Amino acid sequence: MDTKNKEGAPKTAAMKGKSVVVTGAASGLGRATALLFAGRGARVVIGDVDARGKDVVQEIAEAGGVGEFVETDVTDEESVAHLMDIGDRDDTLDVLVANAGVSEAKGLLHEMDMKDWDRVLGIDLRGTVLCDKYALGKMMKRGHGSVINVSSILGVVGQANSTAYSAAKAAVANLSRSLGATYGPLGIRVNAVAPGYINTPLLASLPEDVRSVMVSREPIGRLAQPDEIAAVIGFLASDDASYVTGSVLMADGGYTAV
Ligand SMILES: NC(=O)c1ccc[n+]([C@@H]2O[C@H](COP(=O)([O-])OP(=O)(O)OC[C@H]3O[C@@H](n4cnc5c(N)ncnc54)[C@H](O)[C@@H]3O)[C@@H](O)[C@H]2O)c1
């Protein structure tokens, strides 16, 4: 795998000997992120409830990279601890991308089934916290590493009928700021990326008229492709971002700029 940086220098071996854990990488943004890090020479460990994570490992292998799939439910503490054990095999865990996430059945709060609230908060917030906790524990052994949590534009601005998702993603953003402040002096950077609408299966299930409204709200005039957001995650993980911690980096086509 031979990806190039802006100056044309090969990045193939930039992460050789390092491991990256990406949750929710059986699909969408996580998949694109796993492929990006594999292209940089990292061993990529995919944690997902969806066994299609194995297909992504296969894609990585076919491109000459190294990947592993660990069936993981990010809401389950033992499952996450096991994922990070595999991720840190031979003391190699360098990057966590806490990406696994789900959306909610949009609607009015007073009609909401609180089981849906618990499901979304459980995966999007508690799942992120658990992954951060166990990855940071590994990274603390070496006083080095980078954590990138996936928030959303809806963690930064509100949107009608988005309740649990917006609350969870706002918490993920501020969690990342506080962890950035806490672990910065300890040598570990923690940041969040806040994407706008991305063309992934999460959005594919929405009706076309809803997708058209989304596009109309993006000043850039289109949805993001998953690899455009993966590239921002790749930047945050890299030494190019050595002075970036505790930040919530908008990658939203200008959505929150207007
Ligand atoms: N698609 C968008 O427009 C958009 C915008 C902003 C932020 N995001 C965020 O990006 C992230 C990735 O979303 P996507 O669009 O690629 O969605 P996706 O549905 O394509 O992928 C999400 C992945 O998370 C996995 N997952 C769900 N529950 C899990 C659990 N309990 N444990 C482990 N894995 C689990 C799914 O199996 C899936 O592979 C999410 O956090 C999402 O909130 C997406």
Side-chain angles (χ1 to χ4, degrees), residues 150-206:
V150 178
S151 178
S152 167
I153 42 172
L154 299 189
V156 178
V157 294
Q159 187 178 83
N161 298 316
S162 173
T163 305
Y165 186 79
S166 295
K169 292 297 184 179
V172 166
N174 222 30
L175 167 79
S176 309
R177 293 187 184 102
S178 293
L179 291 179
T182 309
Y183 286 89
L186 304 172
I188 302 166
R189 295 184 299 105
V190 183
N191 292 288
V193 62
Y197 297 118
I198 319 166
N199 194 11
T200 70
L202 194 87
L203 292 199
S205 57
L206 297 172

Side-chain angles (χ1 to χ4, degrees), residues 83-154:
L83 171 67
M84 297 309 164
D85 283 344
I86 305 287
D88 195 42
R89 191 186 300 136
D90 303 323
D91 292 328
T92 51
L93 182 63
D94 198 56
V95 176
L96 162 69
V97 183
N99 163 79
V102 290
S103 193
E104 69 193 295
K106 307 273 188 228
L108 299 169
L109 175 60
H110 72 275
E111 293 171 347
M112 185 182 218
D113 182 341
M114 291 311 285
K115 285 199 188 107
D116 203 26
W117 170 272
D118 291 340
R119 182 182 69 87
V120 175
L121 270 285
I123 295 170
D124 293 5
L125 178 55
R126 187 170 192 275
T128 300
V129 171
L130 279 178
C131 290
D132 288 4
K133 172 179 159 70
Y134 282 90
L136 286 165
K138 302 295 187 191
M139 291 171 182
M140 279 296 290
K141 291 188 290 180
R142 295 177 290 284
H144 183 74
S146 174
V147 172
I148 297 103
N149 295 323
V150 178
S151 178
S152 167
I153 42 172
L154 299 189

Side-chain angles (χ1 to χ4, degrees), residues 20-80:
V20 177
V21 169
V22 187
T23 66
S27 169
L29 174 58
R31 172 184 166 275
T33 303
L35 294 172
L36 177 137
F37 283 113
R40 291 184 181 178
R43 177 177 74 104
V44 177
V45 179
I46 292 172
D48 203 303
V49 280
D50 186 338
R52 285 180 307 156
K54 287 181 192 160
D55 300 340
V56 180
V57 168
Q58 180 69 28
E59 268 186 85
I60 289 173
E62 280 165 9
V66 179
E68 261 179 75
F69 172 67
V70 181
E71 192 175 332
T72 307
D73 179 350
V74 296
T75 65
D76 182 274
E77 192 159 355
E78 263 181 49
S79 181
V80 170

